[in-house]
Amino acid sequence: MTAAGELRSGKGHKDENFPVASKLIHPRHRALIFAFYNFVRTADDIADHISLPPQEKLAQLDRLEAELLGNGETQAEAVALRRAFAERGMPPRHAQDLLTAFRMDVTKLRYDNWDDLIHYCSYSAMPVGRFMLDVHGEDRATWAANDVLCAALQINNHLQDCGKDFRDLNRVYVPLDALSAAGASVEELGQAKASPALRSCLKSLAERNEALLMQSASFSSQVKDARLGMEIAVIDTFARKIVNLLKTRDPLSENVHLSKLSMLMLAAMASGFEIGRRAAGVKSMPRLSTGA
């Protein structure tokens, strides 16, 4: 039997669009966060595996969940996370929600509309932020702002990778009604350059995502842990910068990802801004400009 870890893509936490247990997070939380990340990355890579048959993907995801819940010792990532949860007295709920999303990735290749996509994000993205909040003992009243930011992060990723997802996996997260309204087709996602119709569709979705991000503007100020607040401020800044790129560039033919240097500069500015806000005792301040 192939172990789930053998199906990893090789992508690690340093390759993500967002920081994973960065230096901003207190060291006492990092082991659990990395155990969570390794489990989730393994499951995600299984769902995204180009050559693995769908039924084998689902079987591998089932094995990961079974061992996460204590039924077996063969899947290293599941066992490590199970033990890390046990040490902290935390339930596996958020990891299980993410497994639901990965099963959807295997079985659901199209999304009818924006609400359909947000429903997917409720399993694929929101649980990640909820996990981080629970790790830090934050009030669950913060979940509403978290859910909006996490959904926006996920949709950014869908727009950035819309061509690759279609070409490699025949998977389309761009809502079908948005494509239809713009006069674009699914097949256009496989082109080397977006048509005017597809470009209009993707830009309108980026603008809608920008409006979604505005709803989570006060998120960092809602959390008590200063380190986590800085992490949230950094992630929010990355998300808004990516939205600006998606509004002005074609993700099929142009770079819509942040460079490592850009991420470092934005992280320094956002964390400094958050420190200043907290030091001044200000509940909220105008958000940093990320430029175009």
Side-chain angles (χ1 to χ4, degrees):
M1 181 180 69
T2 302
E6 296 176 45
L7 300 169
R8 287 281 291 265
S9 65
K11 184 176 181 180
H13 70 277
K14 293 183 179 180
D15 302 308
E16 302 290 356
N17 265 340
F18 50 86
V20 178
S22 75
K23 297 297 184 182
L24 295 174
I25 296 298
H26 196 285
R28 69 176 178 270
H29 299 311
R30 289 192 195 133
L32 173 56
I33 293 169
F34 278 123
F36 185 84
Y37 174 79
N38 284 329
F39 177 86
V40 171
R41 169 47 54 200
T42 299
D44 195 10
D45 286 348
I46 288 169
D48 289 350
H49 201 284
I50 293 176
S51 61
L52 203 65
Q55 287 307 312
E56 178 58 23
K57 290 182 179 183
L58 294 174
Q60 288 281 0
L61 293 172
D62 287 346
R63 279 193 285 272
L64 279 174
E65 182 167 30
E67 298 208 8
L68 176 66
L69 298 178
N71 301 314
E73 300 281 334
T74 65
Q75 308 299 316
E77 293 81 5
V79 173
L81 181 57
R82 184 180 80 213
R83 292 172 178 167
F85 277 147
E87 288 176 5
R88 294 288 288 266
M90 290 180 63
R93 169 186 174 180
H94 303 309
Q96 288 181 280
D97 282 345
L98 287 161
L99 288 173
T100 296
F102 300 139
R103 292 185 181 102
M104 292 173 69
D105 285 336
V106 177
T107 61
K108 184 176 174 66
L109 301 180
R110 302 290 186 272
Y111 290 82
D112 292 332
N113 51 48
W114 183 265
D115 288 344
D116 198 15
L117 186 59
I118 293 294
H119 177 260
Y120 168 75
C121 292
S122 72
Y123 290 102
S124 69
M126 298 175 192
V128 177
R130 292 179 179 186
F131 162 76
M132 289 293 291
L133 291 166
D134 282 356
V135 166
H136 287 81
E138 296 289 341
D139 193 309
R140 293 195 174 184
T142 58
W143 279 19
N146 164 81
D147 291 354
V148 173
L149 176 59
C150 288
L153 290 169
Q154 180 74 87
I155 293 169
N156 268 353
N157 186 255
H158 290 329
L159 296 178
Q160 288 174 300
D161 296 340
C162 60
K164 183 176 184 295
D165 286 338
F166 176 69
R167 291 190 301 271
D168 293 350
L169 298 163
N170 189 30
R171 196 183 292 163
V172 178
Y173 296 101
V174 179
L176 297 181
D177 67 344
L179 286 167
S180 179
S185 67
V186 164
E187 290 71 27
E188 290 178 40
L189 291 168
Q191 297 177 352
K193 182 177 181 179
S195 68
L198 179 58
R199 185 69 196 91
S200 174
C201 172
L202 297 176
K203 181 182 178 182
S204 69
L205 291 170
E207 290 171 344
R208 188 166 187 176
N209 209 33
E210 183 176 43
L212 196 63
L213 276 170
M214 292 300 294
Q215 297 177 35
S216 64
S218 65
F219 185 18
S220 66
S221 68
Q222 294 180 28
V223 302
K224 296 176 182 177
D225 188 282
R227 286 172 174 260
L228 181 60
M230 285 189 285
E231 184 98 338
I232 291 168
V234 168
I235 291 170
D236 173 80
T237 301
F238 287 177
R240 289 185 291 113
K241 179 63 176 180
I242 291 169
V243 159
N244 285 334
L245 293 176
L246 288 165
K247 289 195 302 179
T248 58
R249 297 182 185 177
D250 170 18
L252 298 190
S253 62
E254 298 177 274
N255 179 31
V256 288
H257 291 78
L258 300 181
S259 68
K260 297 301 181 184
L261 178 60
S262 177
M263 291 175 76
L264 284 172
M265 293 175 63
L266 289 170
M269 288 189 296
S271 56
F273 192 77
E274 179 67 12
I275 290 170
R277 183 194 67 74
R278 287 178 179 265
V282 178
K283 186 66 176 175
S284 62
M285 295 171 66
R287 298 199 298 179
L288 277 170
S289 172
T290 57

